Amino acid sequence: MSASSSSASSPAALPGDPPGGRRAVAVWSIGVAVYFVAVIFRTSLGVAGLDAADRFHVGASALSTFSILQLLVYAGMQIPVGLLVDRLGTKKVLAIGAVLFTAGQLGFAFSPSYGTALASRALLGCGDAMTFISVLRLGTRWFPVRRGPLVAQLAGLVGMAGNLVSTLVLARLLHGVGWTAAFAGSALAGAVVLVLLVLFLKDHPEGHEPEPLPHQGAVYVRRQIAAAWREPGTRLGLWVHFTTQFPAMVFLLLWGLPFLVEAQGLSRADAGELLTLVVVSNMAVGLVYGQIVARHHAARLPLVLGTVAATATMWAVTLACPGGRAPVWLLVVLCLVLGACGPASMIGFDFARPANPAERQGTASGITNMGGFVASMTTLFAVGVLLDATGDDYRIAFSAVFVLQALGVSQILRLRRKAARRERERLVASRVETVHVPA
């Protein structure tokens, strides 16, 4: 983020760092399994969008409402969930989330009408909102701080594996056994991970218990949010997440399949393979970005801006193709580039994490995590409205991507120097504290 050498290397070990090790991996894996299932449920509509339109007899705007409502609930829950995680711990919040998103998926399976289906997706979004921030906090409690970027990217990678399951497995189940059996059967995975986390998950290793927070009601809430928001790194993290995540999220969550089938003339099978390519690319790029950021923090902003530029370029070239039809090779490149959006969005947490102390990590992560989902929700709605208004002109509809990218980049550039200066100050202060820690 800065040319200075002080930010070029990964953080040094800090006093009181968790030990990591096999036990940490085992416990963290349970939390990540819950997130994995939540992502399967979250993205299940992406492979069922056309089926949902037929089942509930709705158009593009009404179809987008499913995902918009789900993301609206998700985004609106981020700060409350962050506060709950800081207050109650990971295990309790994850358990509540697993119950809610499993109930939502089950309700969606048996919904007889559009209204009940909407309510089920809202319930699912509420439970889903409790998973990722909890997993991030679990990582900070069980692994040394220097492992933070890589652990966060690995969590995102596992989430994308959940997206892969939706694309490959759930799509086939949907067309093989039907709507109700496919969604109800997948809900069993939620029950399995709930049992695992209740039996085996622990919030932190022994000897690393956080200091108890006194109950202060609304005062505590206001202080946590205000303190996290005052940090430029938190705000920069939000805008990084806002700018990078939504192009791939919108594509995978709802509009990718209709775009490839209706606008590009591909078969459902070929479109499904391209959606799978986005997920596979995401997983591969996530490993690379995680290693780079863990070793060279100065690479964070170049990776973010490079990903945004590549995404905007590929969308512009694709939409500008004569006749609105892009060659298959160009769609392949587009999907490969979209795969970098998720890993780039994870870098937002690498700006917010060092800007906040341990007792505020959940709140700061919640603020950061709002960014991409607000952008996704806005774009999902804009694309649906523009498709209805233009007679399914995907060129005009997907142009909404550029507007939000421009807004996000302007905010990133505005905040980058303040965040870099504040991060250097905190790094110097932590090194001074380390020197004075008694042997």
Side-chain angles (χ1 to χ4, degrees):
M1 183 171 65
S2 168
S4 65
S5 60
S6 64
S7 62
S9 59
S10 59
L14 298 178
D17 252 3
R22 293 181 180 178
R23 179 93 188 278
V25 172
V27 173
W28 177 79
S29 296
I30 296 171
V32 171
V34 179
Y35 174 57
F36 171 77
V37 173
V39 173
I40 294 175
F41 293 177
R42 177 202 303 170
T43 57
S44 58
L45 186 61
V47 297
L50 297 178
D51 299 89
D54 291 338
R55 180 180 177 88
F56 300 112
H57 309 291
V58 294
S61 296
L63 183 60
S64 67
T65 303
F66 277 122
S67 296
I68 292 167
L69 178 62
Q70 183 179 331
L71 293 183
L72 178 63
V73 172
Y74 188 105
M77 287 288 292
Q78 289 310 292
I79 292 178
V81 168
L83 292 165
L84 283 174
V85 169
D86 286 337
R87 183 78 196 168
L88 301 179
T90 300
K91 184 171 184 175
K92 291 180 181 178
V93 176
L94 269 181
I96 296 170
V99 170
L100 292 177
F101 67 62
T102 301
Q105 185 77 342
L106 196 61
F108 196 57
F110 293 99
S111 292
S113 66
Y114 177 68
T116 54
L118 275 179
S120 296
R121 295 305 286 187
L123 188 63
L124 192 157
C126 186
D128 181 21
M130 298 183 175
T131 58
F132 187 63
I133 293 175
S134 298
V135 171
L136 287 179
R137 187 180 187 272
L138 199 64
T140 62
R141 291 298 186 188
W142 280 91
F143 293 96
V145 66
R146 67 182 181 276
R147 300 294 185 192
L150 182 57
V151 169
Q153 286 287 356
L154 288 174
L157 185 150
V158 173
M160 289 310 297
N163 202 325
L164 195 61
V165 170
S166 286
T167 305
L168 295 178
V169 179
L170 190 58
R172 292 181 181 179
L173 282 175
L174 185 65
H175 299 127
V177 301
W179 179 282
T180 301
F183 281 99
S186 66
L188 293 176
V192 172
V193 295
L194 177 61
V195 172
L196 288 176
L197 81 89
V198 169
L199 293 178
F200 301 112
L201 191 138
K202 291 189 66 176
D203 282 348
H204 46 73
E206 294 181 6
H208 291 269
E209 295 84 355
E211 293 184 7
L213 294 171
H215 181 66
Q216 297 176 306
V219 174
Y220 163 77
V221 172
R222 288 196 298 269
R223 287 179 178 173
Q224 283 285 94
I225 296 174
W229 184 255
R230 276 196 300 269
E231 294 291 345
T234 304
R235 302 197 301 276
L236 179 59
L238 178 146
W239 284 107
V240 166
H241 202 265
F242 177 100
T243 312
T244 53
Q245 188 206 46
F246 78 92
M249 176 70 73
V250 168
F251 197 79
L252 290 171
L253 199 60
L254 184 60
W255 291 122
L257 187 68
F259 169 74
L260 294 172
V261 173
E262 297 178 352
Q264 300 302 313
L266 300 182
S267 67
R268 283 198 180 200
D270 290 339
E273 290 178 1
L274 286 177
L275 293 179
T276 303
L277 183 61
V278 177
V279 177
V280 172
S281 173
N282 184 298
M283 297 170 71
V285 174
L287 288 174
V288 175
Y289 278 19
Q291 293 285 354
I292 292 174
V293 174
R295 289 173 169 79
H296 308 285
H297 271 200
R300 289 174 296 175
L301 204 57
L303 286 175
V304 167
L305 295 177
T307 301
V308 174
T311 305
T313 299
M314 289 312 306
W315 265 121
V317 172
T318 301
L319 296 177
C321 284
R325 293 284 180 94
V328 174
W329 67 265
L330 183 58
L331 295 175
V332 169
V333 176
L334 172 67
C335 290
L336 288 173
V337 171
L338 286 175
C341 291
S345 73
M346 296 298 298
I347 297 175
F349 299 101
D350 293 315
F351 288 108
R353 188 183 303 110
N356 294 273
E359 65 272 13
R360 212 165 58 221
Q361 287 294 322
T363 305
S365 296
I367 293 172
T368 300
N369 208 30
M370 282 182 62
F373 289 93
V374 169
S376 298
M377 177 180 61
T378 303
T379 309
L380 283 168
F381 178 73
V383 170
V385 170
L386 289 171
L387 284 174
D388 282 344
T390 60
D392 293 338
D393 188 330
Y394 281 89
R395 281 182 171 180
I396 296 176
F398 273 108
S399 296
V401 170
F402 306 120
V403 177
L404 272 74
Q405 284 184 321
L407 172 62
V409 168
S410 68
Q411 295 301 311
I412 290 171
L413 296 178
R414 182 179 68 85
L415 290 165
R416 71 189 191 282
R417 290 191 177 89
K418 290 181 182 179
R421 183 171 60 251
R422 178 65 173 149
E423 189 169 307
R424 286 195 296 270
E425 292 171 355
R426 293 184 71 92
L427 181 61
V428 170
S430 68
R431 285 175 176 172
V432 171
E433 290 177 3
T434 303
V435 169
H436 288 90
V437 170

